[in-house]
Amino acid sequence: MTEREPLQELSTRLAESFAQTIELLGALVAAVERFYEGSHCRFVSQKAAEVARRLGCSELEVFEIQVAGLLHDIGKIGYPESVLQKFPTEMTAEERRLYERHPELGWHILRKHSALHGVAELVLQHHERLDGSGFPQRLRGRQIRLGAAIIAVVDVFHNAVSKRRRDRRVVQESPPTPPEVAYRQYLSAVHHLEAKAGALYHPEVVRTFVELMEEERRQLGQKLLQAVPVNQLRPGMVVAENYYTSYGLLVVAQGEQVTPEMVPVLVRFAEVGEVPRKVLVWV
Ligand SMILES: [Fe+2]
Ligand SMILES: [Fe+2]
C-alpha cells in the first residue's frame, strides 16, 4: 500500500463527514419552517446556487452559497411561534428585536466549525440591503458579499410566495393555494424585486434570478402532470405537490427535481404509509 492511500481514504471520510454535518444542520433548520409551504431552506439553497453559477462564481463559491442558503435561518432555532409565524411588519417592537438577531445567532453557531467561516459570513449578511437599511450591520453596496446579496433576493421572493399563517403540523389537509392566487403572488414578488433592484437588491442578481424563475415556469408548462409510483420516479421529473408525513415533516416539496437520493427515501415512507404509493410529478 502506498502512503497516499490512507491519506486519500482519510480525506474522503472527512469530506463525507462534512457533508453529513451540513445535512444534519439542514434537518434542524426544518424545525423553523413550519409556516412555509414547501421547504424554504432547500428552495433558497438550490436557487441561490444556480444564480451564483450563472453569475460566474467559482465552484467553491457556489458550494458556500448553497450551504449558506440551506442554513441561513439557523439562528431562528428555538424562536417562539409568534415570531416564526409573522411577517416582520406585523411584529411587536420586542419580537422585531429578537427577529433581527437571527443572522448574528446563526453566525455564532456556524463559526464553531472552521470549515464554515465563509458560510457564517454570508449568513450574517443575508438581511443587509444595498442602501444600508438592512440589519444587523447596516452594510451598504459593495460591503455586502455577492453570496449574501444572492441569498437575500431568493429569500425575499420565497417569503412572498410561500409563507403561510398555518402550522403544517396542525393543519395537514388544508387545500393548496389555487394556481391563480399563486400566480398573482409570483407576479407581485417579481414586481417587488424589480422595483427595488438597485435600491435594496443587487440589480444583476435580480435580473438573473427572475430569468431563472421564468425559465422554470416555461419548462413546467411543457411538461405533463402524472401520478407515478414512487419506485418509478426518475431524475428530470419535477415534484408537483408537497408531501408531508403524518407528523408534519416535509419529505419532498413542490417544484423539487427528483434526485437519485430522493427515490429510496420516498419508497421507505410509502411502505409505512406516510406518503402515497404514487406521487404527482411533471414528466
Ligand atoms: Fe433570515
Ligand atoms: Fe429565510
Side-chain angles (χ1 to χ4, degrees), residues 118-187:
V119 170
E121 212 55 46
L122 297 184
V123 168
L124 179 65
Q125 295 187 7
H126 81 274
H127 281 282
E128 300 291 354
R129 300 290 181 254
L130 284 188
D131 64 356
S133 63
F135 58 89
Q137 300 177 95
R138 304 205 170 272
L139 301 178
R140 284 175 170 273
R142 286 173 183 271
Q143 293 176 311
I144 305 166
R145 291 180 54 179
L146 178 64
I150 295 174
I151 291 170
V153 165
V154 185
D155 186 38
V156 165
F157 173 85
H158 196 256
N159 276 325
V161 299
S162 292
K163 198 159 162 114
R164 299 286 175 262
R165 249 160 239 302
R166 57 192 167 76
D167 184 336
R168 67 188 181 212
R169 291 175 314 170
V170 182
V171 192
Q172 285 296 308
E173 304 300 333
S174 56
T177 313
E180 62 284 1
V181 175
Y183 188 57
R184 265 208 310 276
Q185 286 170 333
Y186 169 84
L187 285 182

Side-chain angles (χ1 to χ4, degrees), residues 1-96:
M1 190 185 276
T2 65
E3 235 172 70
R4 266 187 75 82
E5 280 169 352
L7 265 182
Q8 268 174 350
E9 166 75 18
L10 180 66
S11 81
T12 309
R13 260 195 269 156
L14 281 175
E16 274 171 14
S17 148
F18 182 59
Q20 285 166 2
T21 305
I22 290 167
E23 217 173 289
L24 184 141
L25 292 172
L28 284 177
V29 175
V32 295
E33 297 198 324
R34 304 198 311 269
F35 298 97
Y36 285 97
E37 215 156 90
S39 171
H40 178 62
C41 66
R42 278 185 344 225
F43 182 91
V44 175
S45 171
Q46 286 164 8
K47 306 306 175 204
E50 182 54 28
V51 170
R53 232 172 260 126
R54 291 179 178 210
L55 288 173
C57 292
S58 70
E59 250 179 73
L60 182 66
E61 286 168 324
V62 171
F63 178 69
E64 232 171 46
I65 292 166
Q66 187 180 346
V67 176
L70 189 71
L71 304 177
H72 71 279
D73 281 334
I74 196 169
K76 287 184 189 168
I77 288 180
Y79 269 27
E81 206 141 285
S82 59
V83 176
L84 296 179
Q85 194 175 27
K86 290 177 185 171
F87 285 96
T89 48
E90 306 160 341
M91 292 175 190
T92 64
E94 199 180 319
E95 287 166 346
R96 178 89 198 201

